[in-house]
Amino acid sequence: MVEPHAEIPVEITELDVHDDVALREYWEVEQAAMRGHRSRPLLRSYHVLTMLRDPNPYFRHVLLAARADGRIVGTADLGCSVGDNLHLADLEISVHPARQRLGIGRALYDAASRRLLADGRTTVVGEAHVPVGTQPEAAAAYAFASALGLRSVHVEDHLLLDLPATPPDIPMADSWEVITWGRRCPDELRSAYCRMRTQMENDVPRGEVDYEPHVFDEERLRVGEERIARGYDQVVAAARRTADGAFGGYSVVLVPHGEPEALQDDTLVMPEHRGHRLGLAMKRATLAVLSREHPELSAIHTWTSVDNAAMQRTNLGFGYRAVERMHEMQGTIQSPAAQQEARGWSPA
Ligand SMILES: CC(C)(COP(=O)(O)OP(=O)(O)OC[C@H]1O[C@@H](n2cnc3c(N)ncnc32)[C@H](O)[C@@H]1OP(=O)(O)O)[C@@H](O)C(=O)NCCC(=O)NCCS
């Protein structure tokens, strides 16, 4: 379908993720758009994008491509949970730097909205990254999302640590030990690990993001571990009390295959064990594994809620520095006709 409101004719269609030529073209546009606007983004590698070819029983992606003269000029990634959060959709839109401010982003948003509404989704959320030192309104992603009627409902710092790093030398209480594993959690720890993952679902600060936490069970863990192993080396650290084996928390780092920068993902300390520097000890343990097994890494990225004082302090202690602010932009999905009416356009 040719989109009527873009300033150049664009055709928006669903991308066949098995079409290698099209998927690579999609990826190149996404990369160019992100590099054009972001400071130090952690970009998804082409290999990670190809992982969308393996269906995930818990989460579905639909990719849309906007083409002008047969070339991809804009992309949209629609992400939807399958068994939970059926009202919610993640959306990421990118437009090639040479084709911005021509209405292509808006046309992709309209096309995505139509599909999401047909799927019963009512709320959309997307990430807008703002370089440090820039007012949010002056950043393209934030201004674009605001123009679509989305508003900021949660803010995180995007933090970066150059590697190799020297972790703070602060001891952990000696009644605790830290254990680590790689791609698969040991059998005897799986149920305790799932309990912590469920706690994380509930405890991680999300501001007003309209997200319903779910129970993280062993089947979800198995599927997640198998999927992650196809694209990443995983390092997990967990804190265990020596007296009774009780778990105090966990921390996960993902190293995308063949890439120079890693992602510090979840870190959780269970509520009853906070205040003993377990977070610091677990992050130190994952860094030690990285320096042994991945000396080639040049940096590690993480995202921390601006009002998560404990995690902010921990990260600062390691030497992380803020490079961007990430705003979760959320809004109600409206039909394109309702959006056009709100923008003051008369129906065609
Ligand atoms: C954000 C992005 C997708 C916008 O794409 P686009 O095709 O240029 O957007 P549109 O032309 O449809 O713009 C729609 C409205 O958004 C707002 N907007 C878009 N870019 C803007 C900018 N740089 N500054 C201020 N407002 C902007 C305007 O209100 C614009 O309407 P107008 O041009 O009539 O004033 C594009 O800049 C991009 O790819 N950025 C990098 C990737 C990214 O950050 N994506 C957002 C994550 S979901």
Side-chain angles (χ1 to χ4, degrees):
M1 174 183 173
V2 175
E3 297 297 320
H5 298 297
E7 287 169 36
I8 56 168
V10 288
E11 195 180 1
I12 298 180
T13 52
E14 195 172 322
L15 194 95
D16 173 6
V17 292
H18 297 280
D19 178 339
D20 209 47
V21 173
L23 191 66
R24 194 164 276 279
E25 199 183 343
Y26 177 104
W27 177 74
E28 281 164 4
V29 170
E30 190 182 81
Q31 296 269 309
M34 296 291 173
R35 286 186 203 283
H37 284 280
R38 303 268 312 269
S39 38
R40 293 303 313 270
L42 179 61
L43 299 173
R44 66 173 156 188
S45 66
Y46 182 65
H47 176 65
V48 166
L49 185 61
T50 63
M51 287 167 67
L52 299 185
R53 290 172 180 165
D54 299 325
N56 179 343
Y58 297 104
F59 205 82
R60 193 172 61 225
H61 284 266
V62 170
L63 304 186
L64 300 181
R67 287 186 173 82
D69 298 326
R71 300 286 304 163
I72 296 181
V73 292
T75 66
D77 183 345
L78 291 58
C80 293
S81 277
V82 175
D84 56 81
N85 287 285
L86 300 178
H87 63 293
L88 190 62
D90 294 341
L91 181 58
E92 195 168 298
I93 293 177
S94 300
V95 174
H96 192 281
R99 302 300 185 104
Q100 290 176 0
R101 302 305 293 268
L102 296 172
I104 297 169
R106 207 187 273 274
L108 279 160
Y109 184 73
D110 288 350
S113 298
R114 275 195 293 274
R115 279 176 171 74
L116 293 171
L117 281 173
D119 189 41
R121 310 280 157 164
T122 52
T123 304
V124 68
V125 65
E127 297 181 349
H129 282 87
V130 177
V132 162
T134 302
Q135 286 302 313
E137 298 74 16
Y142 188 100
F144 170 68
S146 303
L148 299 172
L150 279 58
R151 68 181 184 93
S152 173
V153 292
H154 177 59
V155 187
E156 297 187 354
D157 280 322
H158 170 198
L159 304 163
L160 188 80
L161 176 66
D162 293 315
L163 295 178
T166 313
D169 189 20
I170 302 171
M172 177 180 61
D174 56 11
S175 46
W176 290 89
E177 61 181 349
V178 175
I179 50 175
T180 60
W181 65 84
R183 67 165 56 187
R184 191 175 183 283
C185 175
D187 286 343
E188 65 280 14
L189 308 182
R190 291 179 86 77
S191 65
Y193 185 41
C194 285
R195 276 197 298 282
M196 293 197 285
R197 298 287 297 256
T198 300
Q199 186 77 38
M200 182 72 182
E201 272 287 306
N202 286 278
D203 284 10
V204 65
R206 288 196 182 88
E208 292 171 55
V209 175
D210 187 13
Y211 178 85
E212 283 291 325
H214 53 76
V215 172
F216 195 96
D217 60 18
E218 292 196 31
E219 177 59 8
R220 205 182 262 263
L221 175 60
R222 184 188 67 75
V223 170
E225 285 179 335
E226 284 174 8
R227 290 185 64 78
I228 284 172
R230 283 181 221 131
Y232 304 87
D233 283 350
Q234 174 179 253
V235 181
V236 185
R240 186 163 61 180
R241 192 159 55 192
T242 42
D244 58 2
F247 275 91
Y250 74 97
S251 182
V252 180
V253 171
L254 298 175
V255 183
H257 292 162
E259 297 294 314
E261 299 189 346
L263 166 67
Q264 165 71 65
D265 206 4
D266 290 4
T267 297
L268 169 84
V269 177
M270 295 295 266
E272 62 275 29
H273 301 306
R274 289 179 188 161
H276 301 300
R277 301 219 168 91
L278 298 186
L280 188 143
M282 295 185 299
K283 285 194 168 190
R284 193 167 45 207
T286 54
L287 275 187
V289 175
L290 290 187
S291 68
R292 254 191 342 263
E293 295 179 5
H294 289 284
E296 77 284 3
L297 287 174
S298 60
I300 180 162
H301 297 248
T302 197
W303 278 258
T304 302
S305 175
V306 290
D307 42 26
N308 187 343
M311 193 49 74
Q312 287 279 3
R313 217 176 26 251
T314 302
N315 288 331
L316 222 68
F318 278 90
Y320 276 95
R321 64 179 198 281
V323 288
E324 293 177 314
R325 278 240 152 134
M326 187 276 285
H327 292 257
E328 293 278 12
M329 305 296 291
Q330 179 172 278
T332 303
I333 305 173
Q334 293 180 320
S335 70
Q339 289 175 39
Q340 284 159 22
E341 209 176 295
R343 284 175 217 148
W345 289 344
S346 54

